[in-house]
Amino acid sequence: MTVQKFLAAAAVFVAAGSAFAADATVAAPAAASAASAVLAANLNLPVVSITKNAGATRAEVRAEAVQFVKNHKTALAVQLEQYKN
């Protein structure tokens, strides 16, 4: 019964959201892009350039993951070691 209520509530929210989204006025595409370009120019955000060599290679990441799995201990194993001492 609670799953049915949840699905009904979700359907109501989706329908309400789409109804409000349909009420938005649509401006001319050229005017909207020009306005956003002016706003973007005035934000003074830092420029971030990402190069292809910025991160680790796939082989390095895989080797790191293999090393982690070899040395990983579960929480239960750590607790048992603490209780031994």
PDB file of all heavy atoms in Angstrom, residues 5-45:
ATOM      1  N   LYS A   5       1.098   4.500  -2.711  1.00  0.00           N
ATOM      2  CA  LYS A   5       0.984   5.910  -2.323  1.00  0.00           C
ATOM      3  C   LYS A   5       2.203   6.701  -2.803  1.00  0.00           C
ATOM      4  O   LYS A   5       2.081   7.832  -3.263  1.00  0.00           O
ATOM      5  CB  LYS A   5       0.852   6.034  -0.802  1.00  0.00           C
ATOM      6  CG  LYS A   5      -0.488   5.593  -0.277  1.00  0.00           C
ATOM      7  CD  LYS A   5      -0.564   5.787   1.225  1.00  0.00           C
ATOM      8  CE  LYS A   5      -1.888   5.339   1.787  1.00  0.00           C
ATOM      9  NZ  LYS A   5      -1.946   5.492   3.238  1.00  0.00           N
ATOM     10  N   PHE A   6       3.379   6.083  -2.677  1.00  0.00           N
ATOM     11  CA  PHE A   6       4.602   6.745  -3.119  1.00  0.00           C
ATOM     12  C   PHE A   6       4.562   6.993  -4.620  1.00  0.00           C
ATOM     13  O   PHE A   6       4.912   8.084  -5.087  1.00  0.00           O
ATOM     14  CB  PHE A   6       5.827   5.903  -2.753  1.00  0.00           C
ATOM     15  CG  PHE A   6       7.106   6.461  -3.292  1.00  0.00           C
ATOM     16  CD1 PHE A   6       7.680   7.578  -2.719  1.00  0.00           C
ATOM     17  CD2 PHE A   6       7.733   5.880  -4.388  1.00  0.00           C
ATOM     18  CE1 PHE A   6       8.851   8.105  -3.217  1.00  0.00           C
ATOM     19  CE2 PHE A   6       8.894   6.398  -4.894  1.00  0.00           C
ATOM     20  CZ  PHE A   6       9.460   7.515  -4.312  1.00  0.00           C
ATOM     21  N   LEU A   7       4.165   5.982  -5.387  1.00  0.00           N
ATOM     22  CA  LEU A   7       4.097   6.146  -6.833  1.00  0.00           C
ATOM     23  C   LEU A   7       3.054   7.198  -7.227  1.00  0.00           C
ATOM     24  O   LEU A   7       3.268   7.972  -8.161  1.00  0.00           O
ATOM     25  CB  LEU A   7       3.788   4.811  -7.501  1.00  0.00           C
ATOM     26  CG  LEU A   7       4.915   3.770  -7.428  1.00  0.00           C
ATOM     27  CD1 LEU A   7       4.464   2.463  -8.034  1.00  0.00           C
ATOM     28  CD2 LEU A   7       6.167   4.278  -8.100  1.00  0.00           C
ATOM     29  N   ALA A   8       1.943   7.233  -6.517  1.00  0.00           N
ATOM     30  CA  ALA A   8       0.923   8.235  -6.805  1.00  0.00           C
ATOM     31  C   ALA A   8       1.452   9.635  -6.506  1.00  0.00           C
ATOM     32  O   ALA A   8       1.240  10.575  -7.285  1.00  0.00           O
ATOM     33  CB  ALA A   8      -0.329   7.952  -5.991  1.00  0.00           C
ATOM     34  N   ALA A   9       2.156   9.787  -5.388  1.00  0.00           N
ATOM     35  CA  ALA A   9       2.725  11.092  -5.040  1.00  0.00           C
ATOM     36  C   ALA A   9       3.783  11.507  -6.060  1.00  0.00           C
ATOM     37  O   ALA A   9       3.858  12.677  -6.454  1.00  0.00           O
ATOM     38  CB  ALA A   9       3.314  11.045  -3.637  1.00  0.00           C
ATOM     39  N   ALA A  10       4.605  10.560  -6.495  1.00  0.00           N
ATOM     40  CA  ALA A  10       5.631  10.868  -7.493  1.00  0.00           C
ATOM     41  C   ALA A  10       4.988  11.313  -8.801  1.00  0.00           C
ATOM     42  O   ALA A  10       5.460  12.249  -9.451  1.00  0.00           O
ATOM     43  CB  ALA A  10       6.529   9.653  -7.712  1.00  0.00           C
ATOM     44  N   ALA A  11       3.906  10.647  -9.185  1.00  0.00           N
ATOM     45  CA  ALA A  11       3.216  11.024 -10.419  1.00  0.00           C
ATOM     46  C   ALA A  11       2.635  12.436 -10.313  1.00  0.00           C
ATOM     47  O   ALA A  11       2.677  13.203 -11.273  1.00  0.00           O
ATOM     48  CB  ALA A  11       2.118  10.018 -10.727  1.00  0.00           C
ATOM     49  N   VAL A  12       2.123  12.774  -9.131  1.00  0.00           N
ATOM     50  CA  VAL A  12       1.579  14.121  -8.930  1.00  0.00           C
ATOM     51  C   VAL A  12       2.681  15.168  -9.047  1.00  0.00           C
ATOM     52  O   VAL A  12       2.508  16.204  -9.691  1.00  0.00           O
ATOM     53  CB  VAL A  12       0.871  14.214  -7.557  1.00  0.00           C
ATOM     54  CG1 VAL A  12       0.557  15.654  -7.198  1.00  0.00           C
ATOM     55  CG2 VAL A  12      -0.393  13.375  -7.566  1.00  0.00           C
ATOM     56  N   PHE A  13       3.840  14.909  -8.454  1.00  0.00           N
ATOM     57  CA  PHE A  13       4.950  15.861  -8.527  1.00  0.00           C
ATOM     58  C   PHE A  13       5.462  16.009  -9.954  1.00  0.00           C
ATOM     59  O   PHE A  13       5.780  17.112 -10.403  1.00  0.00           O
ATOM     60  CB  PHE A  13       6.092  15.446  -7.606  1.00  0.00           C
ATOM     61  CG  PHE A  13       5.813  15.725  -6.159  1.00  0.00           C
ATOM     62  CD1 PHE A  13       5.857  14.711  -5.221  1.00  0.00           C
ATOM     63  CD2 PHE A  13       5.516  17.007  -5.715  1.00  0.00           C
ATOM     64  CE1 PHE A  13       5.601  14.957  -3.885  1.00  0.00           C
ATOM     65  CE2 PHE A  13       5.261  17.269  -4.382  1.00  0.00           C
ATOM     66  CZ  PHE A  13       5.304  16.235  -3.475  1.00  0.00           C
ATOM     67  N   VAL A  14       5.545  14.916 -10.679  1.00  0.00           N
ATOM     68  CA  VAL A  14       6.012  14.987 -12.066  1.00  0.00           C
ATOM     69  C   VAL A  14       5.022  15.780 -12.913  1.00  0.00           C
ATOM     70  O   VAL A  14       5.409  16.628 -13.724  1.00  0.00           O
ATOM     71  CB  VAL A  14       6.219  13.566 -12.634  1.00  0.00           C
ATOM     72  CG1 VAL A  14       6.435  13.600 -14.137  1.00  0.00           C
ATOM     73  CG2 VAL A  14       7.393  12.895 -11.945  1.00  0.00           C
ATOM     74  N   ALA A  15       3.739  15.526 -12.716  1.00  0.00           N
ATOM     75  CA  ALA A  15       2.727  16.248 -13.483  1.00  0.00           C
ATOM     76  C   ALA A  15       2.748  17.736 -13.138  1.00  0.00           C
ATOM     77  O   ALA A  15       2.645  18.595 -14.028  1.00  0.00           O
ATOM     78  CB  ALA A  15       1.344  15.656 -13.211  1.00  0.00           C
ATOM     79  N   ALA A  16       2.902  18.057 -11.860  1.00  0.00           N
ATOM     80  CA  ALA A  16       2.949  19.460 -11.452  1.00  0.00           C
ATOM     81  C   ALA A  16       4.194  20.145 -12.004  1.00  0.00           C
ATOM     82  O   ALA A  16       4.137  21.290 -12.465  1.00  0.00           O
ATOM     83  CB  ALA A  16       2.911  19.561  -9.931  1.00  0.00           C
ATOM     84  N   GLY A  17       5.318  19.455 -11.969  1.00  0.00           N
ATOM     85  CA  GLY A  17       6.550  20.038 -12.491  1.00  0.00           C
ATOM     86  C   GLY A  17       6.473  20.304 -13.978  1.00  0.00           C
ATOM     87  O   GLY A  17       6.913  21.347 -14.456  1.00  0.00           O
ATOM     88  N   SER A  18       5.893  19.372 -14.721  1.00  0.00           N
ATOM     89  CA  SER A  18       5.786  19.585 -16.159  1.00  0.00           C
ATOM     90  C   SER A  18       4.779  20.688 -16.469  1.00  0.00           C
ATOM     91  O   SER A  18       4.924  21.415 -17.446  1.00  0.00           O
ATOM     92  CB  SER A  18       5.399  18.284 -16.863  1.00  0.00           C
ATOM     93  OG  SER A  18       4.133  17.850 -16.423  1.00  0.00           O
ATOM     94  N   ALA A  19       3.750  20.836 -15.636  1.00  0.00           N
ATOM     95  CA  ALA A  19       2.775  21.906 -15.862  1.00  0.00           C
ATOM     96  C   ALA A  19       3.419  23.270 -15.646  1.00  0.00           C
ATOM     97  O   ALA A  19       3.179  24.208 -16.416  1.00  0.00           O
ATOM     98  CB  ALA A  19       1.579  21.729 -14.925  1.00  0.00           C
ATOM     99  N   PHE A  20       4.240  23.408 -14.611  1.00  0.00           N
ATOM    100  CA  PHE A  20       4.912  24.677 -14.372  1.00  0.00           C
ATOM    101  C   PHE A  20       5.974  24.947 -15.429  1.00  0.00           C
ATOM    102  O   PHE A  20       6.212  26.084 -15.807  1.00  0.00           O
ATOM    103  CB  PHE A  20       5.539  24.709 -12.976  1.00  0.00           C
ATOM    104  CG  PHE A  20       4.533  24.906 -11.887  1.00  0.00           C
ATOM    105  CD1 PHE A  20       4.324  23.921 -10.936  1.00  0.00           C
ATOM    106  CD2 PHE A  20       3.781  26.064 -11.810  1.00  0.00           C
ATOM    107  CE1 PHE A  20       3.396  24.090  -9.928  1.00  0.00           C
ATOM    108  CE2 PHE A  20       2.847  26.241 -10.811  1.00  0.00           C
ATOM    109  CZ  PHE A  20       2.653  25.254  -9.864  1.00  0.00           C
ATOM    110  N   ALA A  21       6.639  23.911 -15.899  1.00  0.00           N
ATOM    111  CA  ALA A  21       7.662  24.100 -16.922  1.00  0.00           C
ATOM    112  C   ALA A  21       7.039  24.563 -18.225  1.00  0.00           C
ATOM    113  O   ALA A  21       7.647  25.316 -18.981  1.00  0.00           O
ATOM    114  CB  ALA A  21       8.424  22.799 -17.133  1.00  0.00           C
ATOM    115  N   ALA A  22       5.809  24.143 -18.495  1.00  0.00           N
ATOM    116  CA  ALA A  22       5.153  24.530 -19.739  1.00  0.00           C
ATOM    117  C   ALA A  22       4.722  25.997 -19.699  1.00  0.00           C
ATOM    118  O   ALA A  22       4.516  26.601 -20.748  1.00  0.00           O
ATOM    119  CB  ALA A  22       3.939  23.642 -19.982  1.00  0.00           C
ATOM    120  N   ASP A  23       4.598  26.589 -18.523  1.00  0.00           N
ATOM    121  CA  ASP A  23       4.152  27.969 -18.409  1.00  0.00           C
ATOM    122  C   ASP A  23       5.240  28.989 -18.739  1.00  0.00           C
ATOM    123  O   ASP A  23       4.958  30.161 -18.889  1.00  0.00           O
ATOM    124  CB  ASP A  23       3.635  28.251 -16.996  1.00  0.00           C
ATOM    125  CG  ASP A  23       2.333  27.521 -16.723  1.00  0.00           C
ATOM    126  OD1 ASP A  23       1.677  27.111 -17.695  1.00  0.00           O
ATOM    127  OD2 ASP A  23       1.987  27.364 -15.536  1.00  0.00           O
ATOM    128  N   ALA A  24       6.478  28.565 -18.844  1.00  0.00           N
ATOM    129  CA  ALA A  24       7.574  29.499 -19.087  1.00  0.00           C
ATOM    130  C   ALA A  24       7.444  30.102 -20.479  1.00  0.00           C
ATOM    131  O   ALA A  24       7.141  29.423 -21.445  1.00  0.00           O
ATOM    132  CB  ALA A  24       8.910  28.790 -18.958  1.00  0.00           C
ATOM    133  N   THR A  25       7.704  31.401 -20.575  1.00  0.00           N
ATOM    134  CA  THR A  25       7.640  32.063 -21.875  1.00  0.00           C
ATOM    135  C   THR A  25       8.940  31.806 -22.620  1.00  0.00           C
ATOM    136  O   THR A  25      10.025  31.795 -22.026  1.00  0.00           O
ATOM    137  CB  THR A  25       7.429  33.570 -21.704  1.00  0.00           C
ATOM    138  OG1 THR A  25       8.504  34.085 -20.921  1.00  0.00           O
ATOM    139  CG2 THR A  25       6.106  33.855 -21.035  1.00  0.00           C
ATOM    140  N   VAL A  26       8.834  31.614 -23.893  1.00  0.00           N
ATOM    141  CA  VAL A  26      10.002  31.313 -24.712  1.00  0.00           C
ATOM    142  C   VAL A  26      10.395  32.573 -25.460  1.00  0.00           C
ATOM    143  O   VAL A  26       9.601  33.124 -26.223  1.00  0.00           O
ATOM    144  CB  VAL A  26       9.685  30.167 -25.702  1.00  0.00           C
ATOM    145  CG1 VAL A  26      10.895  29.870 -26.574  1.00  0.00           C
ATOM    146  CG2 VAL A  26       9.240  28.927 -24.947  1.00  0.00           C
ATOM    147  N   ALA A  27      11.627  33.020 -25.231  1.00  0.00           N
ATOM    148  CA  ALA A  27      12.124  34.205 -25.921  1.00  0.00           C
ATOM    149  C   ALA A  27      12.739  33.782 -27.244  1.00  0.00           C
ATOM    150  O   ALA A  27      12.960  32.608 -27.505  1.00  0.00           O
ATOM    151  CB  ALA A  27      13.165  34.896 -25.056  1.00  0.00           C
ATOM    152  N   ALA A  28      13.045  34.739 -28.056  1.00  0.00           N
ATOM    153  CA  ALA A  28      13.689  34.439 -29.330  1.00  0.00           C
ATOM    154  C   ALA A  28      15.069  33.855 -29.048  1.00  0.00           C
ATOM    155  O   ALA A  28      15.790  34.353 -28.184  1.00  0.00           O
ATOM    156  CB  ALA A  28      13.805  35.712 -30.150  1.00  0.00           C
ATOM    157  N   PRO A  29      15.456  32.815 -29.773  1.00  0.00           N
ATOM    158  CA  PRO A  29      16.754  32.183 -29.503  1.00  0.00           C
ATOM    159  C   PRO A  29      17.933  33.134 -29.640  1.00  0.00           C
ATOM    160  O   PRO A  29      18.870  33.083 -28.870  1.00  0.00           O
ATOM    161  CB  PRO A  29      16.827  31.067 -30.540  1.00  0.00           C
ATOM    162  CG  PRO A  29      15.438  30.843 -31.003  1.00  0.00           C
ATOM    163  CD  PRO A  29      14.715  32.132 -30.812  1.00  0.00           C
ATOM    164  N   ALA A  30      17.902  34.038 -30.615  1.00  0.00           N
ATOM    165  CA  ALA A  30      19.017  34.964 -30.801  1.00  0.00           C
ATOM    166  C   ALA A  30      19.118  35.923 -29.630  1.00  0.00           C
ATOM    167  O   ALA A  30      20.214  36.228 -29.144  1.00  0.00           O
ATOM    168  CB  ALA A  30      18.848  35.726 -32.106  1.00  0.00           C
ATOM    169  N   ALA A  31      17.989  36.376 -29.125  1.00  0.00           N
ATOM    170  CA  ALA A  31      18.000  37.313 -28.006  1.00  0.00           C
ATOM    171  C   ALA A  31      18.468  36.618 -26.737  1.00  0.00           C
ATOM    172  O   ALA A  31      19.209  37.199 -25.942  1.00  0.00           O
ATOM    173  CB  ALA A  31      16.611  37.908 -27.808  1.00  0.00           C
ATOM    174  N   ALA A  32      18.066  35.377 -26.563  1.00  0.00           N
ATOM    175  CA  ALA A  32      18.462  34.643 -25.358  1.00  0.00           C
ATOM    176  C   ALA A  32      19.958  34.365 -25.365  1.00  0.00           C
ATOM    177  O   ALA A  32      20.631  34.505 -24.344  1.00  0.00           O
ATOM    178  CB  ALA A  32      17.678  33.344 -25.262  1.00  0.00           C
ATOM    179  N   SER A  33      20.503  33.974 -26.509  1.00  0.00           N
ATOM    180  CA  SER A  33      21.933  33.692 -26.561  1.00  0.00           C
ATOM    181  C   SER A  33      22.757  34.961 -26.412  1.00  0.00           C
ATOM    182  O   SER A  33      23.822  34.950 -25.812  1.00  0.00           O
ATOM    183  CB  SER A  33      22.283  32.960 -27.851  1.00  0.00           C
ATOM    184  OG  SER A  33      22.016  33.795 -28.956  1.00  0.00           O
ATOM    185  N   ALA A  34      22.269  36.063 -26.956  1.00  0.00           N
ATOM    186  CA  ALA A  34      22.990  37.330 -26.821  1.00  0.00           C
ATOM    187  C   ALA A  34      22.997  37.780 -25.372  1.00  0.00           C
ATOM    188  O   ALA A  34      24.015  38.255 -24.853  1.00  0.00           O
ATOM    189  CB  ALA A  34      22.353  38.386 -27.710  1.00  0.00           C
ATOM    190  N   ALA A  35      21.859  37.613 -24.685  1.00  0.00           N
ATOM    191  CA  ALA A  35      21.788  38.013 -23.281  1.00  0.00           C
ATOM    192  C   ALA A  35      22.696  37.150 -22.422  1.00  0.00           C
ATOM    193  O   ALA A  35      23.377  37.641 -21.520  1.00  0.00           O
ATOM    194  CB  ALA A  35      20.352  37.925 -22.790  1.00  0.00           C
ATOM    195  N   SER A  36      22.747  35.852 -22.699  1.00  0.00           N
ATOM    196  CA  SER A  36      23.605  34.980 -21.902  1.00  0.00           C
ATOM    197  C   SER A  36      25.078  35.252 -22.178  1.00  0.00           C
ATOM    198  O   SER A  36      25.912  35.125 -21.293  1.00  0.00           O
ATOM    199  CB  SER A  36      23.271  33.512 -22.163  1.00  0.00           C
ATOM    200  OG  SER A  36      23.544  33.183 -23.510  1.00  0.00           O
ATOM    201  N   ALA A  37      25.417  35.648 -23.411  1.00  0.00           N
ATOM    202  CA  ALA A  37      26.800  35.979 -23.733  1.00  0.00           C
ATOM    203  C   ALA A  37      27.237  37.225 -22.982  1.00  0.00           C
ATOM    204  O   ALA A  37      28.363  37.301 -22.489  1.00  0.00           O
ATOM    205  CB  ALA A  37      26.959  36.167 -25.234  1.00  0.00           C
ATOM    206  N   VAL A  38      26.358  38.203 -22.870  1.00  0.00           N
ATOM    207  CA  VAL A  38      26.687  39.420 -22.134  1.00  0.00           C
ATOM    208  C   VAL A  38      26.864  39.100 -20.659  1.00  0.00           C
ATOM    209  O   VAL A  38      27.799  39.571 -20.016  1.00  0.00           O
ATOM    210  CB  VAL A  38      25.583  40.485 -22.344  1.00  0.00           C
ATOM    211  CG1 VAL A  38      25.773  41.648 -21.392  1.00  0.00           C
ATOM    212  CG2 VAL A  38      25.588  40.952 -23.786  1.00  0.00           C
ATOM    213  N   LEU A  39      25.981  38.280 -20.111  1.00  0.00           N
ATOM    214  CA  LEU A  39      26.103  37.908 -18.702  1.00  0.00           C
ATOM    215  C   LEU A  39      27.364  37.109 -18.446  1.00  0.00           C
ATOM    216  O   LEU A  39      28.046  37.304 -17.445  1.00  0.00           O
ATOM    217  CB  LEU A  39      24.869  37.115 -18.254  1.00  0.00           C
ATOM    218  CG  LEU A  39      23.566  37.909 -18.173  1.00  0.00           C
ATOM    219  CD1 LEU A  39      22.414  36.984 -17.830  1.00  0.00           C
ATOM    220  CD2 LEU A  39      23.682  39.015 -17.155  1.00  0.00           C
ATOM    221  N   ALA A  40      27.704  36.200 -19.328  1.00  0.00           N
ATOM    222  CA  ALA A  40      28.895  35.377 -19.143  1.00  0.00           C
ATOM    223  C   ALA A  40      30.155  36.223 -19.202  1.00  0.00           C
ATOM    224  O   ALA A  40      31.124  35.957 -18.488  1.00  0.00           O
ATOM    225  CB  ALA A  40      28.932  34.272 -20.190  1.00  0.00           C
ATOM    226  N   ALA A  41      30.170  37.236 -20.023  1.00  0.00           N
ATOM    227  CA  ALA A  41      31.348  38.097 -20.136  1.00  0.00           C
ATOM    228  C   ALA A  41      31.553  38.913 -18.871  1.00  0.00           C
ATOM    229  O   ALA A  41      32.679  39.261 -18.523  1.00  0.00           O
ATOM    230  CB  ALA A  41      31.206  39.010 -21.343  1.00  0.00           C
ATOM    231  N   ASN A  42      30.480  39.234 -18.146  1.00  0.00           N
ATOM    232  CA  ASN A  42      30.582  40.067 -16.959  1.00  0.00           C
ATOM    233  C   ASN A  42      30.830  39.284 -15.679  1.00  0.00           C
ATOM    234  O   ASN A  42      30.956  39.880 -14.622  1.00  0.00           O
ATOM    235  CB  ASN A  42      29.312  40.898 -16.804  1.00  0.00           C
ATOM    236  CG  ASN A  42      29.167  41.907 -17.915  1.00  0.00           C
ATOM    237  OD1 ASN A  42      30.166  42.359 -18.482  1.00  0.00           O
ATOM    238  ND2 ASN A  42      27.939  42.241 -18.257  1.00  0.00           N
ATOM    239  N   LEU A  43      30.888  37.965 -15.745  1.00  0.00           N
ATOM    240  CA  LEU A  43      31.063  37.174 -14.525  1.00  0.00           C
ATOM    241  C   LEU A  43      32.495  37.146 -14.021  1.00  0.00           C
ATOM    242  O   LEU A  43      32.739  36.897 -12.856  1.00  0.00           O
ATOM    243  CB  LEU A  43      30.576  35.740 -14.762  1.00  0.00           C
ATOM    244  CG  LEU A  43      29.063  35.589 -14.891  1.00  0.00           C
ATOM    245  CD1 LEU A  43      28.713  34.141 -15.185  1.00  0.00           C
ATOM    246  CD2 LEU A  43      28.363  36.041 -13.626  1.00  0.00           C
ATOM    247  N   ASN A  44      33.464  37.360 -14.886  1.00  0.00           N
ATOM    248  CA  ASN A  44      34.888  37.340 -14.523  1.00  0.00           C
ATOM    249  C   ASN A  44      35.289  36.033 -13.854  1.00  0.00           C
ATOM    250  O   ASN A  44      35.944  36.020 -12.814  1.00  0.00           O
ATOM    251  CB  ASN A  44      35.242  38.527 -13.617  1.00  0.00           C
ATOM    252  CG  ASN A  44      35.086  39.837 -14.327  1.00  0.00           C
ATOM    253  OD1 ASN A  44      35.283  39.915 -15.534  1.00  0.00           O
ATOM    254  ND2 ASN A  44      34.725  40.867 -13.586  1.00  0.00           N
ATOM    255  N   LEU A  45      34.890  34.925 -14.435  1.00  0.00           N
ATOM    256  CA  LEU A  45      35.247  33.613 -13.906  1.00  0.00           C
ATOM    257  C   LEU A  45      36.631  33.227 -14.394  1.00  0.00           C
ATOM    258  O   LEU A  45      37.030  33.564 -15.505  1.00  0.00           O
ATOM    259  CB  LEU A  45      34.229  32.568 -14.363  1.00  0.00           C
ATOM    260  CG  LEU A  45      32.816  32.762 -13.846  1.00  0.00           C
ATOM    261  CD1 LEU A  45      31.891  31.736 -14.465  1.00  0.00           C
ATOM    262  CD2 LEU A  45      32.778  32.657 -12.337  1.00  0.00           C
TER     263      LEU A  45
END
